Structures are given as C-alpha cells and as structure tokens.
Amino acid sequence: MADKTALVTGASSGFGLRISIALALRGYRVMAAMRDLGRGDELLREAERAGVASRLDPVRLDVTDAESIEAAMAHAARRYGRLDVLVNNAGFAVGGFAEEVPMDDWRAQMETNFFGVVAMSRAAIPLMRKQGGGTIIQLSSVSGRIAFPGYGAYAASKFAVEGFSESLRHELAPHGIRVVLVEPGAYRTAIWDKGFSGIRSRPDSPYRKTLEAVLEYSRRAAATSKDPREVAELVARLAECRAPRLRYAVGRGTKLTLFGKAALPWRWFEAIIQRTLSGKAGG
Ligand SMILES: NC(=O)c1ccc[n+]([C@@H]2O[C@H](COP(=O)([O-])OP(=O)(O)OC[C@H]3O[C@@H](n4cnc5c(N)ncnc54)[C@H](OP(=O)(O)O)[C@@H]3O)[C@@H](O)[C@H]2O)c1
C-alpha cells in the first residue's frame, strides 16, 4: 500500500511543527505547509533530531490564499495520489475588547481561523472522497466552547469552526471521512506573544483594568501550561483512530471548565469566570 499522507497547515511553529514530527514518526509522509518556506528551519532541525527529515515535504501554503490552496492540493494529488489526514492547524489570536478591535482585525481573524479551515476542508474533500475515506482534524480551542472577555474575535472564529465541523461530520460520514475537533486549553506556543503584541487598547480605555487582568491571567496560564507535544501526540493518535469522537478537550483544567459550563446554572458559571478573570480569585 502507498505511504499514508498528511497535510498540516501552520507547520512552521507551535502545535503545527510538533504535529508534523509526531505524524512523521508514525510513518506518514507529511506535507508541512507554511506560508513562508523561509520559516521552516526550526521544523527541519527538529525533524533531523527525530530522524524523520526525509518524511517531511515542506509546502508553501497560505490558508487565506485560494491559489496557494489549489496548488498545494494539486501537489498532493500529483506526488502522492492521496491525502489520508488533513490537520487544519494554522491560526492566530486577536485580543482586545470588542469596541476597541478594528473591523479589519475582526475580518482578518475570521479569514484565517474560520474561512481558512472551510477552504482547506473543501479543497481536501474531493481527494478523500475519491480514495474512499480520510480524516480532517480541526485545531479548535477551549475558546470554541467558552468565550472569555478580551477574546471575542478569537472565540467567534473558533465557535464558527465548531459549528462548521459538527455539520461537516454529518455530511462526510457516509463517505468514510472522519471530522474531529481538538480543543486545547492554554499551551506555551508563539501564539500568545503574537496575540499580546497586537492588542489594541487606548491608554484612556474604559476596559484597561479588566484587559490587563485578563492578559495577566492568560500569561500565567500559558507560562504554567503543559508541553505542547501533548496536543501533537493526541492529534497523531486521532489520525490513526478508526472511530474518533467529534470533540477532544485537552489541557490543564480544560475538561473541568467545560463540565462546569455544562453542569452549572449559567449565572454561577458566569460569576466564576468573572471572578477568576478579575484577579480576585486565587490561582
Ligand atoms: N497555544 C495555545 O494555547 C492554543 C490553544 C488552543 C488552540 N490553539 C490553536 O492551535 C493552532 C496553532 O497555534 P499555536 O499555538 O501553535 O500558535 P503558533 O505557534 O503561533 O502557530 C500558528 C501557525 O499558524 C500559521 N499561520 C497563521 N496564519 C496563517 C495563514 N494565513 N496561512 C498559513 N499559516 C498561517 C503561523 O505561521 P507563521 O509562522 O507564518 O506566522 C504558525 O505556523 C491555532 O489554530 C490556535 O488557535 C492554540
């Protein structure tokens, strides 16, 4: 049988880099897609260290650029003739309170985190349908289930990914294509620094105090988080799973928080979130 083939978007750093290595270690040929191939050095170094560099195929791909998506899929079809696993990982986080985040930033957030996922999934489906199956794994977030203040744009993009994927799973099940959502809590990757550095807030902002408390909470959560390899391992396991569930929450406290949202009266849950993010609660 031909080699198993995977395509991972956003493979230049963070989860995407580690997912590419984890899949290569499981014997996949991995199209490690990134929008700037010049940013692939860390991935190649890590792959060499793991002894899987020959299994990686760096591909240029910007998930907001239709032509580059088409070219990457044509490359997959031509070179491998199949695509077993698509990992929609590329993404970033816009931070800031709704009133202060410019509309262009709201649109950019949806363009990459949501429309990028839709475009990549649509592009992969014909090949997967033709070969009689495949797996599409979406890097959602705990923010796709629970919305925190200061992350409205990010939460909206991930809630959209969740709704889209739930529907897509029904559509593709008869064709043997599995759709899975991975919902990490905070992990230490570059996403935090990139997001924090782009935050728009006026010095006289009425939200300044709350925003600072939220950011401080996020920084602390990311700094004390577990190794992002945990998420990569989960994704690699799901790639092999014959009958995965729709959702996989992962990360410190993530399952408990989701359980709290499902089980507690909304007023109680809301009060806990507000107290935690205002810095009044311990830990
Ligand atoms: N870290 C966390 O705590 C956390 C928690 C929950 C969910 N997530 C999700 O996990 C995914 C990966 O994030 P990460 O934490 O690994 O962050 P990261 O280290 O910043 O990696 C994000 C990757 O996405 C790429 N990317 C951004 N926009 C792109 C575009 N338009 N086209 C192609 N690639 C693009 C980046 O490429 P460049 O190098 O070119 O910028 C980078 O490779 C995201 O979807 C994020 O929302 C992260």
Side-chain angles (χ1 to χ4, degrees), residues 38-280:
R39 289 172 54 81
D41 291 356
E42 191 189 342
L43 172 66
L44 291 179
R45 262 198 316 276
E46 290 287 325
E48 267 158 28
R49 204 170 297 149
V52 292
S54 64
R55 308 200 72 79
L56 291 192
D57 176 13
V59 173
R60 203 198 77 75
L61 172 71
D62 182 330
V63 302
T64 65
D65 173 358
E67 271 176 31
S68 84
I69 294 176
E70 207 178 300
M73 285 303 164
H75 171 80
R78 206 173 40 243
R79 179 148 184 198
Y80 305 103
R82 59 185 300 112
L83 180 61
D84 298 284
V85 179
L86 166 67
V87 183
N88 279 318
N89 163 78
F92 72 106
V94 166
F97 279 59
E99 185 188 338
E100 299 184 337
V101 174
M103 275 317 292
D104 283 350
D105 292 13
W106 282 89
R107 292 204 168 91
Q109 181 75 104
M110 295 305 284
E111 204 56 57
T112 294
N113 288 18
F114 176 57
F115 292 117
V117 169
V118 176
M120 286 301 304
S121 304
R122 291 186 71 247
I125 291 167
L127 198 51
M128 290 186 171
R129 230 174 2 84
K130 209 164 113 203
Q131 75 204 12
T135 303
I136 299 176
I137 301 176
Q138 325 282 32
L139 256 291
S140 176
S141 167
V142 67
S143 291
R145 307 280 298 283
I146 300 173
F148 300 103
Y151 292 106
Y154 185 64
S157 72
K158 295 295 186 182
F159 268 65
V161 167
E162 296 264 337
F164 166 64
S165 304
E166 200 172 311
S167 166
L168 191 66
R169 181 164 158 120
H170 290 299
E171 293 181 8
L172 298 184
H175 302 279
I177 303 171
R178 300 169 280 266
V179 178
V180 186
L181 286 156
V182 172
E183 303 167 331
Y187 280 84
R188 217 172 320 131
T189 67
I191 200 170
W192 298 99
D193 288 336
K194 291 182 199 169
F196 291 151
S197 61
I199 282 180
R200 316 285 186 102
S201 172
R202 298 193 309 262
D204 61 342
S205 166
Y207 304 108
R208 190 153 197 91
K209 227 172 123 227
T210 330
L211 180 63
E212 271 161 18
V214 171
L215 291 182
E216 183 47 34
Y217 183 84
S218 304
R219 267 190 212 104
R220 231 181 319 132
T224 57
S225 67
K226 295 203 203 152
D227 190 325
R229 258 175 292 217
E230 182 175 78
V231 174
E233 273 309 309
L234 171 63
V235 170
R237 272 202 315 279
L238 291 173
E240 306 271 82
C241 185
R242 298 284 95 200
R245 299 194 309 266
L246 171 61
R247 296 189 162 89
Y248 289 82
V250 55
R252 186 169 287 145
T254 307
K255 285 184 188 141
L256 184 65
T257 314
L258 287 170
F259 177 75
K261 183 172 180 181
L264 293 176
W266 174 251
R267 277 177 190 283
W268 295 11
F269 183 70
E270 190 172 61
I272 293 169
I273 295 280
Q274 283 175 4
R275 202 173 140 71
T276 307
L277 295 179
S278 70
K280 285 180 195 143

